[in-house]
Each structure stands twice: as structure tokens, then as C-alpha cells.
Amino acid sequence: MEYAIPRPLRLPVSPEEWQLRARACLAPGTYDYLAGAAGSEDAKIRDEEAFRQWRIVPRFLQDVAKRDLSVKVLGVTFPAPVLLAPIGRQALFHPEAEAASARAAASLGVPFILGTESSRSIEEVAAVMGDAVRWFQLYPPKSFEVAESFIRRAEASGYSAIVITVDRPLEGWQEPDLRNAYFPIMFPHAVTNFITDPVFMAGIPKRYYADHSYILNEVFRIFYNPAFTWRGLSRLRNITRLPILLKGILHPVDAEQALAAGADGIVVSNHSGRQLDGTISALEALPSVCERIRGRIPVLMDSGIRRGADVMKALALGASAVLVGRLYVYALSVAGEVGVTRVVSDLIAELDISMANAGICSVSGLNSSLLVRST
Ligand SMILES: Cc1cc2nc3c(=O)[nH]c(=O)nc-3n(C[C@H](O)[C@H](O)[C@H](O)COP(=O)(O)O)c2cc1C
Ligand SMILES: O=C(O)C(=O)c1ccccc1
């Protein structure tokens, strides 16, 4: 078993405590995989430091008695500027896996982004979410046919956007996983979306249907594509009317190119430092990407969001909304759906209180005049 979870009644409050509690209830290799980042982990550390480098200069006497945290992204209004990031293989962290996270998101009205390598199928997650907003994340494929099949399944199951993650041509250099010999081949639940896909399974000889390590090898052999380029993207763009967001953009020139390629949105992200050691932090990259995009498409961001003030800073620097990654998975690990609901609603509550105490009563009131950069 990868997990051994006590069901504590007293839930943590701070992000730091959620993380410590997750560490206590996960197997050491699993915790290191979740918390870890590439190489020296410089990019991950920088992500969190980048938020501290900006300081909020509050305004007072502004009538903040009523606040509205809602945002409109791609024509849909969300109650708060927060989404749950795609995190693959959630069965590693809790037996209910993505079903628990998706139910928590649905109960709060927060969009859930299902990862390509989810432990629950596209259809099952849709079924637990009812009418709630869900997006599907797709890694750049080698097999256009399997990718098309995933997109059709997402369309048929009511997912309202496709997030193509561009920052992972190969896995990052994850030293904790190398040290612990913690490799994907150990995770049969990584193949759920593949074994439930008729197009993918058509290429698998029947005698291997129950052999998950064979299937996972096939996933790597025929699906992931480090040679994928803007040309492949335009092919995907042409087969769906769903909005496409590109996740993992850091360079303003890539942002411009995403727009030219027909992307409907961007997620500025360094994958929380898990891909490339030494990258610019997502928060540092955000202003120059927003400057290039000039409001033509929404620019979301993630990597390092832990608190309400972090969300405020990202929005003040131009993000339309933020994605939360590890934070909700720490809570999933500790307490399943209850944990995810609690941690996300606390994040939103802290954001609400922080905005009031800064003299801001709506997300449209957040801009860079609220911030100074420490030297
Ligand atoms: C364990 C783990 C698995 C992840 N899996 C995926 C994935 O399948 N697809 C994806 O686009 N991003 C994936 N990410 C990246 C997240 O979507 C997100 O960019 C990042 O976690 C945000 O930073 P934060 O964890 O500091 O909030 C993963 C991140 C972690 C920690
Ligand atoms: O570990 C990750 O960061 C990640 O992006 C991923 C990708 C595929 C499956 C699981 C996780």
C-alpha cells in the first residue's frame, strides 16, 4: 500500500501543518515524490520566495463590508479565483483519489482540472461532479488518435476546456525519486484513462489487458511526445471547439506564440519547480507574460500558492485566477474529500479577509498599485 491514513478529527489550519501531517501519513517515498522538485530544488524554493518579495501596501477607509471574490474566466463565473491544478495519480495519496478532490471542488464551485494520468477515469470524475465545472489536462501526445479519443471523451463528459501542459517534454530530474527508486512503473493506477480508452486499448494485445506494467510501458512508448511542437498543437486546435489553455508558459515569446496558435488561455507555471532546476519563478514570469498578452486571453498562474496573500499578489500582478497544486494534495493525503474541502475553503476565506484588510472588495480592484517590491 502506498498510503496508510489515520482519519484525524482535528484538521490542520496552516499550509505548513497540512504538509507536516501529509508527511506523517504518507509512505516516505510517496511524500518525497509529492513534495519534491527538480535538481537542487532551486526553482521550487524561488517560487515560494517570489511571493515574499512582494509586499502589500493596504488602503483603508474603503468600505469593505461586502466583498465579491468571483471571477469570469472563458465566459464562466467562478465563486473565487482558484482552481484545482491537474495532479496525476492521486490514488498514491488517498484511496478515493481524484473522486475525492473532484467532489470537494464541486461542493465549493471551484473548477477541477483532471490530469492525463489520473487514477479515476474521465467519465467517473464527471459522474461525481454533476454540473460542476471541470477541465481536462492533456500531455502532448505522440498518438494523435489517442489524444483525439481523450478529447472526445472529455467533450462527451462535460469538461469545458482542455489544458495542454507544454513544460514536460521529459520528466524532470527528481533526485528524491532516484534515491528512493520511486518510479511510475510501480503505479498501476496511472493507466486508468488509458485502459478505459477504446482507441488506446485497440493497440494492446488481449493477453496483456491485466498487465499494468506492460500497459504503462506502452503509454510511454506510444503516447508521450518530446518531439511535439506548435505544429502538433495546431492539429489538436483544429479538432475541438473546446477552449484550449497552454500550461507551463514562462517566456513572453511563447505566450505570444500561444495566442497566435489559437490558445484561449495560458497558465504561467514552472510546474512548481518539478521540471527544470533553476527556472524563473512563475510569479516573476507573470508580469512580462501579461504585458505581452494585454488582456486578449486569460492568463492564469500556479506554482507556490499557499495562502490568501499569495493569491492576491498573483492577481495584482495580472493573473485572472490561480491554480493550487500540492496544497490540496497534502490535504487529500491527510483527510480525503473533507481535507480538500477544508483547505480550499480556508484558502478562499483567507483571501477574502486579506482583501478586506487591504481595502479591496472585488478581484477587479487588485492591481500592481497594491504592491511594492522589496529590495
Ligand atoms: C505530484 C504532482 C503531480 C503533478 N501532476 C501533474 C499532471 O499530471 N499534469 C500537469 O499538468 N501538472 C502536474 N503537476 C503540476 C501541477 O499541476 C501544478 O503546476 C503545480 O503543482 C502547482 O504548484 P504548487 O504545487 O506549488 O501549487 C503535478 C504536480 C505535482 C506536485
Ligand atoms: O509529477 C509531475 O509533476 C507530473 O507532472 C506528472 C505527470 C504525469 C503523471 C503524474 C505526474
Side-chain angles (χ1 to χ4, degrees):
M1 277 313 222
E2 293 296 337
Y3 39 76
I5 302 162
R7 287 282 175 277
L9 287 175
R10 196 190 70 77
L11 296 176
V13 178
S14 71
E16 293 77 16
E17 194 186 351
W18 279 113
Q19 181 168 353
L20 283 172
R21 290 275 287 278
R23 180 180 208 157
C25 71
L26 292 170
T30 305
Y31 174 80
D32 289 352
Y33 164 72
L34 172 58
S40 71
E41 306 206 338
D42 168 70
K44 179 189 161 194
I45 295 162
R46 202 192 304 278
D47 273 334
E48 294 180 15
E49 270 176 15
F51 286 96
R52 283 195 290 274
Q53 274 175 359
W54 289 102
R55 301 196 178 151
I56 299 167
V57 190
R59 302 286 306 279
F60 299 115
L61 304 176
Q62 300 291 322
D63 185 0
V64 291
K66 290 203 188 77
R67 281 136 357 244
D68 176 9
L69 268 55
S70 69
V71 283
K72 202 169 182 180
V73 179
L74 299 171
V76 179
T77 301
F78 309 147
V82 173
L83 299 86
L84 299 196
I87 302 272
R89 308 171 188 153
Q90 292 190 19
L92 294 172
F93 312 113
H94 189 275
E96 290 169 29
E98 287 84 356
S101 310
R103 276 198 304 264
S107 72
L108 297 169
V110 165
F112 180 70
I113 311 176
L114 183 71
T116 304
E117 269 191 42
S118 53
S119 316
R120 300 295 176 104
S121 71
I122 293 172
E123 292 77 13
E124 186 183 346
V125 168
V128 304
M129 291 192 76
D131 292 336
V133 179
R134 48 193 172 266
W135 295 355
F136 179 65
Q137 177 265 326
L138 184 72
Y139 273 112
K142 224 179 269 149
S143 167
F144 185 77
E145 291 67 30
V146 175
E148 177 166 20
S149 179
F150 281 177
I151 290 172
R152 296 286 169 251
R153 290 169 60 197
E155 288 170 343
S157 301
Y159 291 72
S160 52
I162 304 293
V163 176
I164 300 180
T165 300
V166 298
D167 62 2
R168 193 174 153 100
L170 292 179
E171 279 177 50
W173 179 256
Q174 308 269 349
E175 290 177 4
D177 298 347
L178 292 166
R179 193 175 304 117
N180 297 328
Y182 194 79
F183 299 122
I185 206 77
M186 301 154 67
F187 314 146
H189 30 254
V191 296
T192 306
N193 273 333
F194 293 88
I195 56 176
T196 52
D197 191 88
V199 176
F200 175 79
M201 288 308 275
I204 305 289
K206 283 226 161 47
R207 64 183 180 284
Y208 291 119
Y209 271 24
D211 183 345
H212 288 160
S213 62
Y214 175 90
I215 292 174
L216 196 53
N217 267 323
E218 287 299 287
V219 168
F220 290 126
R221 197 174 65 81
I222 75 162
F223 188 74
Y224 289 105
N225 187 4
F228 193 86
T229 65
W230 295 98
R231 189 199 297 262
L233 180 72
S234 78
R235 246 185 118 188
L236 291 176
R237 172 67 291 179
N238 287 336
I239 61 159
T240 182
R241 291 155 85 130
L242 288 180
I244 291 181
L245 295 95
L246 297 192
K247 173 172 178 282
I249 299 283
L250 292 170
H251 202 297
V253 173
D254 279 356
E256 187 85 57
Q257 204 159 351
L259 185 67
D264 302 280
I266 285 174
V267 184
V268 173
S269 166
N270 69 6
H271 214 111
S272 206
R274 291 168 75 81
Q275 289 307 118
L276 176 60
D277 192 9
T279 48
I280 186 170
S281 71
L283 195 72
E284 284 172 303
L286 182 64
S288 46
V289 168
C290 291
E291 208 169 287
R292 281 297 172 106
I293 294 298
R294 285 185 283 111
R296 288 171 288 177
I297 51 174
V299 176
L300 285 66
M301 79 83 69
D302 75 23
S303 301
I305 298 282
R306 298 290 179 272
R307 291 191 165 278
D310 300 339
V311 183
M312 272 179 71
K313 290 174 186 178
L315 268 57
L317 292 171
S320 306
V322 301
L323 280 52
V324 179
R326 288 198 193 80
L327 180 61
Y328 89 82
V329 182
Y330 292 140
L332 173 71
S333 308
V334 174
E337 178 186 346
V338 170
V340 179
T341 306
R342 174 67 69 85
V343 83
V344 177
S345 60
D346 277 359
L347 179 70
I348 294 171
E350 192 191 7
L351 170 64
D352 179 45
I353 288 176
S354 305
M355 282 179 38
N357 282 304
I360 307 285
C361 49
S362 76
V363 166
S364 60
L366 291 166
N367 59 54
S368 59
S369 71
L370 191 70
L371 303 180
V372 291
R373 212 193 155 97
S374 65
T375 45

